[in-house]
Amino acid sequence: MATNSDSNVNKAVNVSELIAKNKKKKSINNYMEKLVPTILFLLASITVLTTIGILYTLISEAVHFFMEVPILDFFTGTELKPLSQNPEFGILPLLNGTIISSLIAILVAGPIGLMSAIFLSEYASDKVRRIIKPLLEILAGIPTIVYGFFAFTFVTPLIRTFWPQLEATNILSPGLVMGIMIIPMIASLSEDAMTSVPNGIREGSLAMGTTKLETTVKVVIPAAFSGIIASFVLAISRAIGETMIVTIASGSSKNFSFDITESMQTMTAFIVEVSGGEAPAGSTLHYSLYAVALTLFVFTMIMNLLAKYVSRKFREEY
């Protein structure tokens, strides 16, 4: 009887310990459940706080520039002569160079990237896709300074053999090379968007007697249009923000011209020139760096908002 009594007591103790452990474990789990969302929120807030910090820095420094240079003269001026005796700070030459180089890049990368995405998504076999896609994406891993010297030492001399009017530094060569650089971005993201379109839609279209090309153009691309637009926007933003290629190959001439054979300077190249030069801290030239950077930030943001509007307007739900 004593043995049975001791056994029952031990069982009761073990049950009590298990209950206590379960309560403790449950308490820890409840604590972690409350803690994890807070940690995730703080981590997610880093990007927002970083953006706010960048904006604050740009605006606070740009204010000093606009106290010395009228904002209307800055955005409408066609002359940029920051080091002359009578300095002028018109941003149109830089804006013009940025837009022209980006347009050349997207004219090169857009058709090639989209056609590559169509081939990989709709026509290539799995074996071919596994070979071509990694090779295509190798372009994205090449340092931009290599692209810059490639544009300056190979592309420009090559073009000058049949276009002698092309200057040694020009906006055409960096635009073409930037286009090559952003092809993988358009191809990869567009291919992902088209691959995500359900096969049932393709099969339904083919069952109605359409060809594969018609299905691709009239069904798959419209269904993946929002993703394709996103790939183009990211590629254009990448081209606009490119620094090393244009710094090396496009020169530093601040010309307000539409002649692609001439040397031009982009906003990013100007920022590199000023930040790497001898602009005295607190000078108008020094503050002009932040004014140009703020313009670049706003320009990119407006473009992204416009792209979101277009993407939302033409998105098709399946």
Side-chain angles (χ1 to χ4, degrees):
M1 292 294 292
T3 302
N4 291 336
S5 176
D6 292 340
S7 177
N8 292 333
V9 170
N10 291 332
K11 287 181 180 180
V13 171
N14 290 335
V15 170
S16 299
E17 290 177 353
L18 287 173
I19 293 173
K21 288 181 179 179
N22 287 334
K23 286 183 177 180
K24 186 176 181 181
K25 186 177 180 180
K26 189 175 182 180
S27 176
I28 293 173
N29 289 338
N30 290 336
Y31 176 76
M32 290 301 296
E33 285 293 326
K34 294 178 180 179
L35 182 63
V36 167
T38 303
I39 295 173
L40 295 176
F41 173 77
L42 292 175
L43 293 175
S45 300
I46 291 176
T47 55
V48 178
L49 294 175
T50 302
T51 304
I52 293 173
I54 292 172
L55 265 177
Y56 173 76
T57 302
L58 294 178
I59 293 173
S60 61
E61 297 294 335
V63 165
H64 296 288
F65 174 79
F66 290 120
M67 289 174 65
E68 300 179 23
V69 177
I71 190 169
L72 186 63
D73 292 348
F74 178 70
F75 285 109
T76 60
T78 58
E79 296 288 336
L80 180 59
K81 300 176 180 178
L83 298 177
S84 66
Q85 291 183 347
N86 297 314
E88 296 183 53
F89 292 93
I91 198 175
L92 287 183
L94 302 180
L95 195 60
N96 183 61
T98 301
I99 292 174
I100 289 177
S101 62
S102 300
L103 282 177
I104 294 172
I106 202 64
L107 287 175
V108 172
I112 297 175
L114 186 57
M115 294 304 106
S116 300
I118 291 173
F119 172 74
L120 291 172
S121 173
E122 305 302 316
Y123 292 93
S125 63
D126 290 338
K127 183 178 180 180
V128 173
R129 188 182 298 111
R130 284 196 298 268
I131 295 173
I132 293 180
K133 192 170 182 180
L135 291 176
L136 189 65
E137 291 177 348
I138 286 175
L139 293 173
I142 299 176
T144 56
I145 192 169
V146 175
Y147 278 118
F149 281 109
F150 173 71
F152 182 69
T153 61
F154 180 78
V155 176
T156 296
L158 179 64
I159 298 176
R160 292 185 76 183
T161 57
F162 56 86
W163 197 351
Q165 295 83 2
L166 190 71
E167 296 182 4
T169 54
N170 56 84
I171 201 66
L172 176 61
S173 295
L176 294 174
V177 174
M178 281 196 299
I180 295 172
M181 180 189 67
I182 61 177
I183 285 173
M185 186 176 294
I186 294 177
S188 181
L189 294 176
S190 296
E191 190 261 338
D192 290 340
M194 286 187 280
T195 302
S196 65
V197 176
N199 284 327
I201 297 175
R202 294 181 177 86
E203 293 168 358
S205 176
L206 294 171
M208 295 178 67
T210 61
T211 63
K212 196 162 190 175
L213 179 60
E214 289 174 328
T215 299
T216 300
V217 173
K218 297 181 179 180
V219 177
V220 177
I221 290 180
F225 190 74
S226 60
I228 294 172
I229 287 293
S231 72
F232 272 73
V233 170
L234 288 174
I236 294 172
S237 298
R238 179 71 181 84
I240 290 173
E242 173 52 39
T243 304
M244 293 309 301
I245 297 176
V246 290
T247 300
I248 295 171
S250 70
S252 58
S253 300
K254 300 161 182 62
N255 298 325
F256 182 67
S257 170
F258 296 97
D259 187 355
I260 59 176
T261 64
E262 293 183 0
S263 172
M264 299 183 194
Q265 192 172 49
T266 64
M267 289 188 280
T268 53
F270 176 79
I271 292 171
V272 171
E273 181 185 12
V274 173
S275 60
E278 298 179 356
S283 65
T284 305
L285 178 59
H286 171 76
Y287 288 127
S288 70
L289 184 154
Y290 296 96
V292 172
L294 180 62
T295 305
L296 181 63
F297 181 91
V298 173
F299 183 71
T300 307
M301 184 182 67
I302 292 174
M303 188 187 64
N304 288 337
L305 292 175
L306 180 62
K308 284 185 178 181
Y309 169 76
V310 173
S311 177
R312 187 165 54 248
K313 184 177 180 180
F314 289 98
R315 181 182 293 120
E316 293 188 23
E317 300 293 342
Y318 286 91

